[in-house]
Amino acid sequence: MEIKLEDKIEVSESLTDAEPDESTKPAVPKPSICKRCSVRVIFNKSNGIQIKEGFDQQYKLLEESPEAFNLISDDTLSTLAPDLRSRPDNTCYLCAGILQNSTIRTLMNKCKVLLSEYECVGSVGVTFSNIDLLNVRSFLCGVGGIKLQIKTIFKWLMAEELSQFLGCPKVVQNASKADDQDLMVNIEVRLDNDEFMWMCRPPLEWDVFNFSQGKFKSARLEDALARAKYEDIKAYLKLPGRAVQFSISVLANTTFVGGRYTKMARNMSQTPWLKQDGLLIAGNIEDILCKPLQKAFRADEARMHSAGREDIDVRMLGTGRPFYVQLTNVRKFPTEAMLDELQVVINKQSAHVKCYKLTPVTKSETELVKQGQEEKQKEYRCIIKAENEVTDEMISNLNSVENLDLEQKTPLRVLHRRSPLTRTKRIIKVKARALTREEVEVSCKHDMKLTESLNKRLVVAEVTSEAGTYIKEFVHGDFNRTVPNVGTIMGNRCDMLQLDVVNLSMVWPPERDGTKEDVAEDK
């Protein structure tokens, strides 16, 4: 929409109240408004200014012919005190100076101080709180409803300059709902100024506030304004003696790093463990993975989440277990290159735990890990000890298992921390064979007495099961709390000697262009 010369009007005249009886109405001042509010009023019905490009175009046209409008100059506000304690006389009475360059500059300087400790920011967003009162004020000043709200323009101005300061390529317009923003800057209009509160609130007798929804009823407000007399609204044409006050806070969005890990030790827990004497057991996967990430990205806290967990005496082999680390309030945001370097450092520091495919992930993507914990198939390798000699028929019976449903009561070993329920789980298939005497001898470290005792009683089985199946209990039966079990299938009581997780069938981290190819070696 272009501004034509014949269409130019005095903005101040369009913003003053008009009473039918001119003889009884006192002289109405002609307050000025800033250039940005002028665009909001003049082009109120234009859909073009609802987007940033359209607004910028009209604002530029307005700047090129300011003599046609009763506008205040933003340049005269350069002497405004940095703390915004005093209000200059030439303050826009529609936005209370919020959209004027002096306010934007002052707030930007304060934001830059707060943002100076953050590095490698990928995206930034701006929220503006408690500004709805000024939108209501446009009604009270006789302008009526303005489509383009103050906070929309304010966020356009602040977000663009903040992104340039931080050197980040992405500006999140709807910062309060964005999933993958790095930083959110919240600028809040402080409501401790009673005078400011008063100048923005309609009279209580108008009954235009919906307390259940926490907002004003626009239709009822317009109706009340149509019936209002000049004396009812003239007080709103003035501004408070002090400038509008603000508070600024910067919040780093929770950052997530995804990957997979393997564990080669049979005496290491996934999370910190306390012994009976209250002392912490040395070494756990969470500390090995989280502490380097927390230190590197200067986070307040780091917590690991994984797709299930293995027992302290179970190894995690194959391509590893999917996991992600939740980093709270980081000061340095992770990039692919940083995580590649950090992965090498972590893997050198630990002989038993290795991590792979470290990559930044979003909050919504982390839901895949939770789903995989409950829905995906898992593959195990078990060393089973039978009470009696194992025959070919027993092995054949075990290998015939396919899509076998189990009824599993909560195992006794976890009953202290799990609900006493009966769960139905499925064994997809079993592939088993008896160990040869040579394999038994090696397993017994050439102890001939032990070898003779265990010969023809050891079985290695590869079990594919539904996620959430208690494999140890499937083997030994847990005093018949899991039925059927390997013992009932073979007709030979069994116990578990060793257990390894060899595969979790889920895609993690999410595949993208240039997905990392490094995976763990199956040992």
Side-chain angles (χ1 to χ4, degrees):
M1 176 178 181
E2 296 184 358
I3 303 177
K4 297 180 180 179
L5 185 62
E6 58 269 21
D7 293 335
K8 296 178 181 178
I9 58 173
E10 284 287 341
V11 176
S12 59
E13 292 180 1
S14 69
L15 301 179
T16 55
D17 186 65
E19 287 289 318
D21 189 356
E22 293 290 338
S23 61
T24 60
K25 187 181 74 171
V28 180
K30 292 184 177 181
S32 296
I33 61 175
C34 67
K35 296 174 185 177
R36 293 186 175 100
C37 282
S38 299
V39 176
R40 294 171 62 223
V41 175
I42 297 172
F43 303 103
N44 187 34
K45 295 181 180 180
S46 170
N47 291 327
I49 66 164
Q50 303 304 312
I51 58 175
K52 184 179 183 304
E53 291 75 12
F55 175 83
D56 290 342
Q57 179 185 5
Q58 302 301 351
Y59 180 75
K60 183 178 180 182
L61 290 173
L62 192 63
E63 276 194 318
E64 292 173 353
S65 54
E67 68 282 353
F69 301 91
N70 185 24
L71 303 175
I72 57 177
S73 172
D74 285 341
D75 296 335
T76 62
L77 295 179
S78 59
T79 58
L80 181 64
D83 59 359
L84 296 176
R85 290 295 177 185
S86 59
R87 179 184 63 78
D89 293 334
N90 55 346
T91 299
C92 174
Y93 85 105
L94 268 188
C95 69
I98 290 175
L99 295 181
Q100 292 177 248
N101 287 338
S102 59
T103 303
I104 300 296
R105 286 197 300 269
T106 302
L107 291 175
M108 270 302 307
N109 290 335
K110 291 185 177 183
C111 288
K112 288 177 179 179
V113 173
L114 295 175
L115 294 172
S116 59
E117 64 175 326
Y118 294 95
E119 301 178 50
C120 305
V121 181
S123 58
V124 64
V126 177
T127 60
F128 201 6
S129 305
N130 293 334
I131 195 59
D132 291 338
L133 289 175
L134 281 174
N135 295 323
V136 173
R137 178 175 165 77
S138 65
F139 280 97
L140 300 176
C141 292
V143 178
I146 300 179
K147 291 181 180 180
L148 187 56
Q149 298 184 8
I150 295 172
K151 67 178 180 181
T152 301
I153 302 177
F154 181 85
K155 289 196 291 184
W156 286 344
L157 298 171
M158 292 294 293
E160 183 175 19
E161 191 164 347
L162 286 175
S163 66
Q164 293 176 1
F165 170 74
L166 293 168
C168 60
K170 186 176 179 182
V171 177
V172 182
Q173 297 296 347
N174 195 357
S176 61
K177 297 180 180 179
D179 173 42
D180 57 350
Q181 68 192 11
D182 286 342
L183 279 183
M184 181 171 68
V185 179
N186 180 50
I187 300 175
E188 182 176 6
V189 176
R190 290 171 51 183
L191 300 181
D192 53 358
N193 186 339
D194 293 338
E195 192 177 8
F196 174 65
M197 289 284 291
W198 175 83
M199 78 174 191
C200 295
R201 289 197 178 277
L204 290 177
E205 57 269 20
W206 287 11
D207 188 27
V208 294
F209 191 77
N210 188 328
F211 288 94
S212 62
Q213 298 181 3
K215 62 182 181 179
F216 291 94
K217 307 172 185 176
S218 300
R220 187 173 294 185
L221 184 59
E222 290 182 11
D223 186 57
L225 283 169
R227 299 194 308 269
K229 297 181 180 180
Y230 174 74
E231 286 74 14
D232 295 332
I233 63 173
K234 66 178 181 180
Y236 294 102
L237 295 176
K238 70 175 184 177
L239 287 167
R242 289 195 300 162
V244 176
Q245 302 295 299
F246 303 88
S247 63
I248 304 173
S249 61
V250 178
L251 177 65
N253 199 15
T254 302
T255 303
F256 301 92
V257 174
R260 302 178 83 106
Y261 75 82
T262 58
K263 186 188 81 168
M264 306 306 299
R266 294 197 186 276
N267 59 349
M268 180 178 290
S269 62
Q270 188 185 77
T271 54
W273 261 34
L274 291 175
K275 295 187 289 186
Q276 290 183 352
D277 57 7
L279 296 178
L280 190 67
I281 296 177
N284 62 84
I285 298 171
E286 183 170 356
D287 284 350
I288 292 172
L289 297 178
C290 288
K291 286 184 177 180
L293 290 171
Q294 182 176 357
K295 181 180 179 181
F297 303 117
R298 307 203 301 274
D300 290 346
E301 184 183 11
R303 295 184 60 191
M304 188 183 82
H305 306 264
S306 62
R309 59 191 301 146
E310 65 281 336
D311 291 338
I312 191 171
D313 59 345
V314 176
R315 296 190 301 176
M316 179 67 235
L317 307 178
T319 57
R321 183 179 297 277
F323 77 95
Y324 66 89
V325 174
Q326 178 179 332
L327 298 166
T328 304
N329 198 23
V330 300
R331 275 75 171 181
K332 186 175 183 179
F333 293 89
T335 64
E336 293 279 359
M338 293 178 194
L339 291 173
D340 286 344
E341 295 177 2
L342 201 56
Q343 177 175 301
V344 174
V345 172
I346 294 173
N347 290 343
K348 284 183 178 180
Q349 289 178 348
S350 174
H352 303 299
V353 177
K354 307 293 182 183
C355 60
Y356 304 89
K357 297 186 177 181
L358 290 186
T359 185
V361 294
T362 65
K363 182 178 180 180
S364 60
E365 288 172 338
T366 62
E367 295 296 323
L368 297 173
V369 171
K370 299 176 183 178
Q371 294 171 9
Q373 179 178 346
E374 300 297 331
E375 299 174 4
K376 302 301 182 181
Q377 293 183 7
K378 298 183 180 181
E379 298 175 19
Y380 300 85
R381 183 165 60 221
C382 319
I383 302 297
I384 301 170
K385 183 185 72 172
E387 184 177 39
N388 301 306
E389 182 178 326
V390 176
T391 65
D392 291 342
E393 183 181 0
M394 293 177 184
I395 297 295
S396 178
N397 290 340
L398 193 55
N399 283 329
S400 66
V401 170
E402 186 174 352
N403 295 326
L404 176 66
D405 288 335
L406 310 178
E407 296 296 322
Q408 289 195 310
K409 293 182 180 179
T410 302
L412 294 175
R413 62 187 172 93
V414 298
L415 199 54
H416 63 286
R417 55 186 172 88
R418 297 281 177 87
S419 302
L421 303 174
T422 299
R423 300 170 177 86
T424 300
K425 296 296 180 179
R426 175 167 291 187
I427 300 296
I428 310 299
K429 64 179 180 179
V430 177
K431 183 180 180 181
R433 67 175 179 85
L435 266 66
T436 65
R437 180 181 176 85
E438 290 75 16
E439 290 173 326
V440 174
E441 186 175 336
V442 171
S443 300
C444 296
K445 298 181 179 179
H446 304 285
D447 184 330
M448 299 310 297
K449 186 176 180 180
L450 185 58
T451 299
E452 291 298 333
S453 173
L454 295 178
N455 189 32
K456 297 185 179 180
R457 293 171 54 201
L458 297 184
V459 175
V460 58
E462 296 176 4
V463 180
T464 303
S465 72
E466 182 182 27
T469 306
Y470 293 104
I471 297 299
K472 288 181 178 179
E473 282 65 30
F474 169 60
V475 171
H476 59 64
D478 197 27
F479 300 100
N480 285 326
R481 296 172 62 84
T482 292
V483 289
N485 52 67
V486 172
T488 60
I489 295 170
M490 293 177 59
N492 193 349
R493 288 181 59 185
C494 296
D495 201 359
M496 179 79 76
L497 288 185
Q498 289 184 357
L499 177 64
D500 294 327
V501 185
V502 295
N503 187 41
L504 274 73
S505 59
M506 64 176 293
V507 177
W508 182 262
E511 292 183 348
R512 301 184 179 91
D513 292 339
T515 298
K516 301 174 185 178
E517 297 296 336
D518 52 339
V519 295
E521 294 289 339
D522 189 353
K523 297 183 180 180

